Amino acid sequence: MEFEPLSLSNEVIEFDMIGLGYDATIDMEHPVEDGEDLVNIDYSPAAANSVLAAGLGPHIFGGDTNLEPCQGMDFESEEAAKAFYNSYARRVGFSTRVSMSRRSRRDGSIIQRSFVCAKEGFRVEKEKHLVDGRVKRPRAETRVGCKAMLVVKIQDSGRWVVSSFVKEHNHDLVPPDKVHCLRSHRHVSGPAKSLIDTLQSAGIGPSGIMSALIKEYGGISNIGFTERDCRNYMRSSRQRTLGGDTQILLDYLKSKQAENPSFFFDVQGDEDHCMSNILWVDPKARTNYTYFGDTVTFDTTYRSNRYRLPFAPFTGINHHGQPVLFGCALLINESEASFVWLFKTWLEAMSDRPPVSITTDHDRVICAAINHVFPSTRHRFCKWHIFKECQEKLSHMLSEHHNFEVDLHKCINLTESIEEFESCWTCLIDRYDLTKHEWLQAIYNDRRQWVPVYLRDTFFAEMSITQRSDSINSYFDGYINASTTLQLFVKQYEKALESRFEKEVKADYDTINTTPVLKTPSPMEKQAAGVYTRRLFIKFQEELVETLTFLANKVDEEEMITVYRVAKYGEMNRAYFVNFNSFEMKATCSCQMFEFSGLVCRHILTVFRVTNLLTLPSHYILKRWTRIAKSGVILDERTTNLSNGSHESLTIRFSNLRHQALKYVEEGVTSSEVYDVAISALREAARKVACATKKDGRQVILNGTSEEYLHQINETTIRRSDPPFCSQQSSYKDDQDRTIEKLTRQLDRARRKCEVYRSNLLSLLKDIEEQKLQLSVKVQNVKLGMKE
């Protein structure tokens, strides 16, 4: 069938601007931007079948979508033509888009459409958005000038006829197992949306939802969209549902900042200039981070309200082993870019001091963001989150083999070395025939980030490798759940903070007002009882008591290092090796408990016992576990940079100098060589300080008297009438000497007063700190009495 071209006198032609050298496609009905995920237009084969079956003419009888386009083929509507060509493109292996449109000048209606291969045309460089001299989010080149296309025109009857069809492509086509990644074939269908909403309401994240969809549809290629589309649908759904409720939270944060300028919060906007994510850090959280910010847990498993927003707290562990808050975030967008923004902003709030270690959920996107923002921080996946995944991924194994869970636990938690774990894992996989299990292989590849034997050389502040940290999933337990609204969230957040503060005060009270029961006559136990908090002492006491059942045998000795083989009586086959330097009083154990938790293990304590080391060396007592963990003046960079920049607080200068001096004292006693160097350096420093003090004092006198003295000279000159010049000069010199002596005596008296004032001030600060603690304890006693 040959179709006569229409007259152009009453037509308006709309072109594909990309094909002509621009970077945007004009399509008045369905505009598509580069990078947009097609989640609203249904181009699925099922949709094509329904459209074609209803709208095709005699050339495609019964909606047969296996036909190839040809000239003369007619359709009921342009949508039917578009769906047919897209269905054909899916079978062949390419993506489509709408290109040129032609409109009538009479009524503006579309009379011609061109559907082209997505690789049609070329990209032409235009003005770039630069960030630090680099192109912001550079996109890969996808246009190669492909000529494949389908053109349809409308007839007087209202039907659309194919006037031109180009079949050949100038590029490789996509195989069937990857065609679902092409943009025009990616679509979140209605049933998929319902399933996503259901799983999201159950607290399952994008990765878990995609796993469920793959299982439901029988493969990733059958789903019809990617994980990115899933994430974007979840984000858009949250943004539509939120409405104006986020303003409640923002108003709360603004009010807190108005009350205290140290309250920090920030809001991230997405590409559409809509609110995306919120982070806030209160002053107490920032203070706690200065004491306990060595290890951090970032938890996104919460779903804090009916909108399924992930509530993500930053938490740590205080000196009582209790969870402590370092900040909070509400995340509407869980993309990698959003997590990068969140971590960078949080780090800025913490004065750019990264933690030693951080624990997060087992999530690929979070992992990528952590590596970007915290390159020097040791990243660990939450082991218990992986065990939870295990119950889902290996449910058939757990139901069929009752010993599998026990064997898996032994392999992960009870192996003492990397070699032992590797051997045990191989035996486990072979025994249960799980060699081809993809999820097990994936977590095995990540083993260095969650299996304990790979992490023991890094501090995570956990008392036991096998027990779960209280900071994970616990700070807001009982206060926030799936039904919590944003309005209620603010109130519950305040209640949770108050509850945690009361628990910390109660722990302080127990530590101060209760005397631990000693179980041995060891001076080391008595020393620890007066240093550690109550909970930490109990843990240390357990380790110390266990030494009574352990034996230590010397197996090697080289210079100052002695190697001991330590094993429990009756279990000599399970031994640990301790390297002990008797001169420096330092020991390392193969169990690495001190490196992991900050408490000395029973094996090192056994060696201390057999070598008659009666007290615990100071370098084995971490301040963060002691009663005085929160003592001392906090040095905030902003408090030292005053408006004029020339006068610093006396207290801050004193604290700075004391801190530096004590640091050199602690390092200087480690060995005789270091001690000699430290003594020499301190003597040289003392000499320089004395010279600077003398010079500074003289300069003050001169600066303080020069103008006054010159004024005296002028006044004297005016009053006297032509005295002898030499006599005047001698008199002036005597006056100057007397003035200097007088001012020197005043300066000495002022210095002595300053010393007294400084001592009194430091004593007063210490008294205030002790009184605050006592008042907190009294308040807790009153509350306990009221409850009784």
Side-chain angles (χ1 to χ4, degrees):
M1 175 179 178
E2 186 175 345
F3 185 75
E4 294 293 329
L6 298 174
S7 171
L8 298 179
S9 59
N10 294 318
E11 299 170 2
V12 176
I13 300 176
E14 297 177 350
F15 293 98
D16 172 6
M17 306 306 287
I18 295 180
L20 298 178
Y22 296 90
D23 197 16
T25 301
I26 293 184
D27 176 8
M28 300 304 294
E29 313 305 321
H30 300 293
V32 178
E33 298 289 342
D34 271 353
E36 179 183 350
D37 297 302
L38 303 184
V39 296
N40 296 320
I41 306 173
D42 194 344
Y43 290 134
S44 64
N49 282 332
S50 62
V51 171
L52 294 174
L56 291 177
H59 296 283
I60 307 180
F61 180 76
D64 185 0
T65 58
N66 290 321
L67 291 178
E68 184 176 284
C70 62
Q71 281 191 343
M73 186 179 290
D74 69 338
F75 302 89
E76 180 73 21
S77 65
E78 66 165 292
E79 286 296 330
K82 182 194 299 183
F84 171 77
Y85 189 58
N86 198 67
S87 179
Y88 161 76
R90 183 182 180 90
R91 295 198 314 273
V92 174
F94 67 97
S95 181
T96 67
R97 58 183 172 83
V98 179
S99 181
M100 185 185 73
S101 302
R102 181 176 293 163
R103 292 180 179 272
S104 170
R105 290 185 181 273
R106 287 192 297 267
D107 56 9
S109 62
I110 295 175
I111 59 177
Q112 179 176 307
R113 281 285 199 190
S114 296
F115 308 111
V116 299
C117 173
K119 291 182 177 291
E120 185 266 349
F122 295 95
R123 176 179 296 174
V124 176
E125 295 296 326
K126 62 179 183 178
E127 184 180 355
K128 302 291 185 181
H129 297 286
L130 301 180
V131 178
D132 298 330
R134 297 174 296 175
V135 178
K136 182 180 179 181
R137 296 181 64 187
R139 299 185 184 276
E141 181 60 66
T142 59
R143 307 298 174 88
V144 296
C146 182
K147 300 298 184 181
M149 65 186 304
L150 179 77
V151 181
V152 293
K153 293 182 178 181
I154 192 170
Q155 291 183 332
D156 293 338
S157 63
R159 297 183 69 83
W160 292 75
V161 175
V162 177
S163 63
S164 176
F165 170 62
V166 179
K167 178 181 178 180
E168 292 74 20
H169 296 261
N170 67 347
H171 55 87
D172 294 334
L173 299 176
V174 176
D177 62 335
K178 295 183 175 59
V179 73
H180 66 280
C181 297
L182 295 173
R183 184 177 300 159
S184 69
H185 307 308
R186 285 157 46 190
H187 166 71
V188 183
S189 63
K193 290 179 180 179
S194 298
L195 183 56
I196 291 173
D197 292 338
T198 301
L199 295 176
Q200 188 181 2
S201 64
I204 301 176
S207 300
I209 290 176
M210 285 301 296
S211 298
L213 289 169
I214 292 172
K215 186 176 181 181
E216 178 71 19
Y217 285 86
I220 183 68
S221 60
N222 298 328
I223 297 177
F225 55 89
T226 63
E227 183 175 333
R228 178 185 175 186
D229 299 321
C230 179
R231 289 179 182 272
N232 287 343
Y233 169 74
M234 295 170 66
R235 180 186 63 174
S236 60
S237 177
R238 289 167 184 159
Q239 288 175 333
R240 287 192 301 270
T241 310
L242 270 174
D245 278 5
T246 51
Q247 192 61 42
I248 297 174
L249 178 60
L250 291 176
D251 290 343
Y252 167 76
L253 298 178
K254 290 177 181 178
S255 66
K256 299 298 288 186
Q257 191 176 66
E259 295 174 6
N260 190 338
S262 296
F263 188 97
F264 178 94
F265 83 94
D266 199 1
V267 180
Q268 179 195 24
D270 60 15
E271 295 177 353
D272 300 324
H273 304 289
C274 298
M275 188 194 71
S276 182
N277 301 312
I278 307 175
L279 168 72
W280 69 95
V281 184
D282 62 52
K284 187 174 179 61
R286 303 175 80 176
T287 301
N288 284 333
Y289 186 78
T290 63
Y291 299 127
F292 311 113
D294 40 20
T295 184
V296 174
T297 295
F298 176 67
D299 180 23
T300 55
T301 59
Y302 284 101
R303 294 299 183 265
S304 62
N305 50 52
R306 65 185 179 190
Y307 311 118
R308 320 315 320 165
L309 284 177
F311 171 63
F314 291 87
T315 61
I317 301 176
N318 68 7
H319 52 321
H320 298 293
Q322 300 170 332
V324 59
L325 193 65
F326 294 149
C328 295
L330 280 175
L331 302 177
I332 299 175
N333 188 347
E334 293 184 77
S335 66
E336 180 180 337
S338 291
F339 283 118
V340 168
W341 171 87
L342 175 66
F343 294 144
K344 283 186 175 180
T345 308
W346 178 80
L347 191 60
E348 177 187 347
M350 298 307 185
S351 302
D352 291 319
R353 294 191 298 266
V356 174
S357 60
I358 187 168
T359 303
T360 71
D361 295 339
H362 184 221
D363 185 276
R364 174 183 53 81
V365 175
I366 295 178
C367 181
I370 291 285
N371 293 335
H372 180 79
V373 181
F374 303 108
S376 60
T377 297
R378 187 71 179 272
H379 181 205
R380 177 180 69 165
F381 295 135
C382 175
K383 181 177 59 178
W384 299 99
H385 183 255
I386 292 179
F387 281 162
K388 184 179 179 181
E389 283 186 291
C390 178
Q391 294 176 354
E392 174 191 344
K393 305 291 185 180
L394 299 172
S395 57
H396 64 288
M397 292 298 301
L398 297 173
S399 59
E400 295 175 6
H401 304 279
H402 300 294
N403 293 329
F404 175 76
E405 187 173 8
V406 176
D407 292 340
L408 181 64
H409 169 77
K410 290 180 179 178
C411 176
I412 295 171
N413 290 324
L414 302 183
T415 48
E416 295 290 342
S417 65
I418 294 176
E419 294 76 13
E420 185 182 355
F421 166 77
E422 295 287 352
S423 175
C424 185
W425 181 270
T426 302
C427 293
L428 181 72
I429 298 300
D430 293 340
R431 183 185 311 153
Y432 293 99
D433 192 22
L434 295 170
T435 307
K436 298 181 179 179
H437 197 284
E438 294 183 2
W439 181 79
L440 275 178
Q441 184 60 43
I443 63 169
Y444 174 75
N445 293 337
D446 294 333
R447 62 192 181 280
R448 290 176 178 82
Q449 289 183 266
W450 67 277
V451 177
V453 292
Y454 291 97
L455 299 164
R456 290 175 179 170
D457 61 343
T458 304
F459 182 75
F460 284 96
E462 290 187 16
M463 297 300 98
S464 172
I465 291 175
T466 58
Q467 75 180 33
R468 182 180 185 178
S469 171
D470 287 342
S471 67
I472 300 176
N473 285 337
S474 65
Y475 193 92
F476 291 96
D477 279 356
Y479 295 93
I480 297 172
N481 53 47
S483 62
T484 306
T485 63
L486 274 178
Q487 188 171 6
L488 181 59
F489 170 82
V490 173
K491 298 179 181 179
Q492 295 297 90
Y493 170 80
E494 292 281 359
K495 289 182 179 179
L497 294 186
E498 293 175 2
S499 174
R500 286 296 173 186
F501 177 72
E502 288 184 3
K503 289 181 179 179
E504 182 176 342
V505 171
K506 179 63 166 60
D508 286 334
Y509 170 83
D510 291 340
T511 297
I512 296 173
N513 292 280
T514 59
T515 303
V517 178
L518 302 183
K519 297 182 179 180
T520 72
S522 169
M524 190 178 293
E525 183 182 13
K526 184 177 181 180
Q527 174 196 13
V531 172
Y532 288 125
T533 59
R534 179 179 175 82
R535 180 175 177 182
L536 270 294
F537 170 72
I538 292 174
K539 180 60 185 175
F540 175 83
Q541 189 180 54
E542 292 175 1
E543 296 295 314
L544 185 64
V545 171
E546 282 294 321
T547 63
L548 301 176
T549 63
F550 276 76
L551 302 175
N553 298 314
K554 187 185 300 183
V555 294
D556 191 17
E557 187 171 6
E558 183 177 350
E559 294 182 356
M560 293 183 294
I561 306 297
T562 305
V563 181
Y564 289 88
R565 185 179 187 274
V566 182
K568 191 172 185 178
Y569 180 78
E571 300 178 7
M572 300 302 292
N573 60 324
R574 195 173 189 83
Y576 301 85
F577 292 91
V578 176
N579 295 336
F580 179 56
N581 186 324
S582 58
F583 182 77
E584 298 181 0
M585 293 186 296
K586 289 186 176 180
T588 59
C589 180
S590 58
C591 78
Q592 295 182 305
M593 177 177 166
F594 179 75
E595 291 81 358
F596 187 76
S597 66
L599 277 179
V600 182
C601 65
R602 60 194 64 181
H603 317 117
I604 291 180
L605 292 176
T606 299
V607 172
F608 286 170
R609 177 172 55 82
V610 300
T611 55
N612 296 321
L613 186 59
L614 301 181
T615 58
L616 199 61
S618 60
H619 46 266
Y620 284 111
I621 302 176
L622 297 189
K623 184 181 178 182
R624 63 136 27 249
W625 292 135
T626 66
R627 299 174 177 224
I628 59 171
K630 299 178 72 172
S631 66
V633 179
I634 301 173
L635 299 180
D636 193 317
E637 294 177 356
R638 290 172 300 177
T639 63
T640 59
N641 299 325
L642 301 181
S643 57
N644 56 14
S646 60
H647 298 288
E648 286 190 352
S649 165
L650 175 64
T651 304
I652 292 176
R653 292 202 302 271
F654 177 81
S655 181
N656 266 325
L657 289 173
R658 183 181 62 176
H659 175 74
Q660 292 296 326
L662 290 177
K663 182 174 69 173
Y664 285 109
V665 169
E666 292 175 355
E667 296 177 356
V669 299
T670 55
S671 67
S672 57
E673 293 81 7
V674 177
Y675 172 81
D676 292 336
V677 173
I679 283 292
S680 176
L682 288 173
R683 287 173 179 169
E684 179 65 14
R687 185 185 65 79
K688 291 182 178 180
V689 169
C691 292
T693 302
K694 184 177 180 181
K695 180 180 178 181
D696 184 57
R698 183 168 61 253
Q699 186 68 28
V700 169
I701 293 174
L702 293 177
N703 290 342
T705 61
S706 58
E707 294 184 3
E708 179 183 357
Y709 184 64
L710 289 175
H711 177 71
Q712 292 177 356
I713 292 177
N714 291 334
E715 290 292 329
T716 306
T717 304
I718 293 173
R719 288 195 304 266
R720 296 189 180 185
S721 56
D722 298 327
F725 177 76
C726 292
S727 176
Q728 286 183 359
Q729 187 175 22
S730 176
S731 176
Y732 294 159
K733 186 175 181 180
D734 292 341
D735 290 343
Q736 182 181 9
D737 291 341
R738 285 194 296 271
T739 303
I740 290 175
E741 291 177 1
K742 179 180 178 181
L743 293 175
T744 301
R745 288 194 297 271
Q746 293 177 355
L747 180 63
D748 289 339
R749 286 196 297 271
R751 282 179 176 171
R752 288 195 294 270
K753 289 181 179 180
C754 284
E755 291 293 333
V756 174
Y757 292 155
R758 182 177 62 182
S759 300
N760 292 339
L761 179 60
L762 292 174
S763 177
L764 180 62
L765 289 174
K766 184 177 180 181
D767 291 341
I768 291 174
E769 191 171 338
E770 292 177 355
Q771 289 176 12
K772 285 171 59 179
L773 182 59
Q774 293 175 2
L775 287 174
S776 298
V777 172
K778 289 180 180 179
V779 170
Q780 184 64 23
N781 289 337
V782 172
K783 290 184 178 180
L784 293 175
M786 293 175 65
K787 291 180 181 179
E788 294 175 356

